[in-house]
Amino acid sequence: MQYSRYATNPILPGFYPDPSICRVEDDYYLVTSSFAFFPGVPIFHSRDLRHWEQIGHVLTRSSQLPLNCRRISGGIYAPTLRYHDGVFYMITTNVDGIGDFVCTATDPRGPWSEMHVIENAPGIDPSLFFDEDGICYMCGNEWGKGEPWIWAAEFDTKTFSLKGERKRLWQGALRNAWAPEAPHLYFRDGYYYLMIAEGGTEFFHAVTIARSKSIFGPYEGFRGNPILTHRHLGKGYPISNTGHADLVENRDGSWHMVLLASRPYGGYHLNMGRETFMVPVVWEDGWPVVNPGVGHVDWLCPVPDLEDWIPPQQDEDAFTSPVWNHLGCPQGLDPVTIGENTLRIRCIAPPLVPEGEESEIVKAHALGFLGRRQQHMSFEARVKVSVPPEEGVSCGLVVLQNDFASLRIELTRRESGVEARAVQVWKDGRNGPLEEAVLGLSAAMETEELVIRASGQSFALMLGDWTVATAEGGFMGSESCGGFVGAYIGLFASGNGEDRECEAVFTDFHYTGIR
Ligand code: 6LW
């Protein structure tokens, strides 16, 4: 490959799994999963495959994103993004009782349409494919009941419904395949290609492919499958879990693949969850070769010599930046009021972490939380916060993998004054009881600078320059606490069981990542 330019992997660091990409002339667009975070389905733009700008989200209204889930890893699974005849189509699954649906837009920056729910479309990971004659097909997976299959059917883009029967296409390259999912269809040189993921989204993840002369098959699996996996590289390899991929053809006829992978650190700990990576692809004898000459995903990804493009600068520390997310969809009175440099969070009832076994964190919909992804193994996050005058309320800074794994530094108003506490929440094993431990205590002022500093898995929970406690962070890896998300750095306030009118006020937030 003769390229002299490189993109740096991961192209989207932090929890950005299940990427899907499409190109319109010189512009590339990419979406990822978002689970129970709101707004949902972040969307990115690039013109050179090296720099990516988040241009917003697809699901920005509560009507598009009903989240009734009781877990952070519910909600929105794997979206696919496609463009046809002036219209962008985003198809995805809301696993909280909605199923597969499509939203459309003529401008990827929005507005996006309301959701069009698709009847009779089982499974997850739906995908659309527009054939050369303009006919659209939908494919997805059937998994869970009986044998797993990838299916496809003609899809009516006017009524957003399946036309005719669903046909079974392929069961994957592996005998007794585990989790054939993430199907995407492509057409090239007289063949329909069906690319999927197999092996499950963890260590055994892999990308496999089959092809057929006819869209509904029969599909012939590639003898060289899997075309990509890192499972043979062992758990010490710094890029793990490669899978769930999508292909894009560049203007010059070359191809790239975007995919999810994880970066374990400090042991086999995947705190940042699944991130978006990219690799070049060439076609040999009618089949794809991923990263030719290398055979796996690398830190650098050669890209075509596209015109230099610098995305508009965004201040990600400003609370108005699209990097910030709610947890659960705010309904009715939103406790979070966002100004550019000031964030106010009302001290509503639910504590940040549930006391019982069952998660309440997402059920609360309007939890007093706003967060952004942890994107680096080593980082520092700092924020100034003023604790409200009512006794019993808390506010603070948290690194949160899910409601069973977090580290936080918080201020609590007591009768005797303000107390700072460093707290760890964890479960002993995935099914063990929920534990909460106060790692350190300190007297504090009404307004403090809260700091979380991570040097790899060594975390310090601080008041300004004073370390209240330290902790090892490996317990926040998604491989041990389960689920599909990655760590967030969040600001929160709580009435600790009582709805209060008062608000915590946050200013001067700074996140600094150390690569
Ligand atoms: C997604 C599935 C998967 O729907 O994990 O990596 C699921 N693969 O394709 C959640 O991200």
Side-chain angles (χ1 to χ4, degrees), residues 17-18 33 35 77-78 124-125 181-182 197 201 205 243-244 260 274 484:
D18 311 319
S33 301
F35 301 93
Y77 278 27
I124 54 167
D125 299 357
E181 57 195 14
T201 191
H205 218 187
H244 198 119
L260 73 76
R274 301 166 304 157
F484 296 131

Side-chain angles (χ1 to χ4, degrees), residues 7-10 230 237 239 277-279 291 294 296-302:
T8 308
N9 272 321
H230 278 204
Y237 198 73
I239 303 172
F277 287 68
M278 190 168 64
V279 268
N291 212 1
V294 179
H296 60 261
V297 180
D298 240 332
W299 298 118
L300 292 180
C301 169

Side-chain angles (χ1 to χ4, degrees), residues 9 45 95 186 195 237 296 318 343 492 500 506:
N9 272 321
H45 171 228
V95 298
Y186 312 90
M195 190 174 76
Y237 198 73
H296 60 261
L343 180 74
F492 67 93
R500 326 269 190 136
F506 298 85

Side-chain angles (χ1 to χ4, degrees), residues 86 109 111 117 207 219 222 243 249 275 295 297-298 332 337 349 366 402 424-427 467 493 502:
R109 288 174 168 74
V117 176
V207 182
Y219 278 83
F222 178 35
E249 184 175 6
E275 315 178 88
V297 180
D298 240 332
T337 309
N402 58 30
Q424 175 172 344
V425 173
W426 78 101
K427 260 190 173 187
T467 301
C502 58

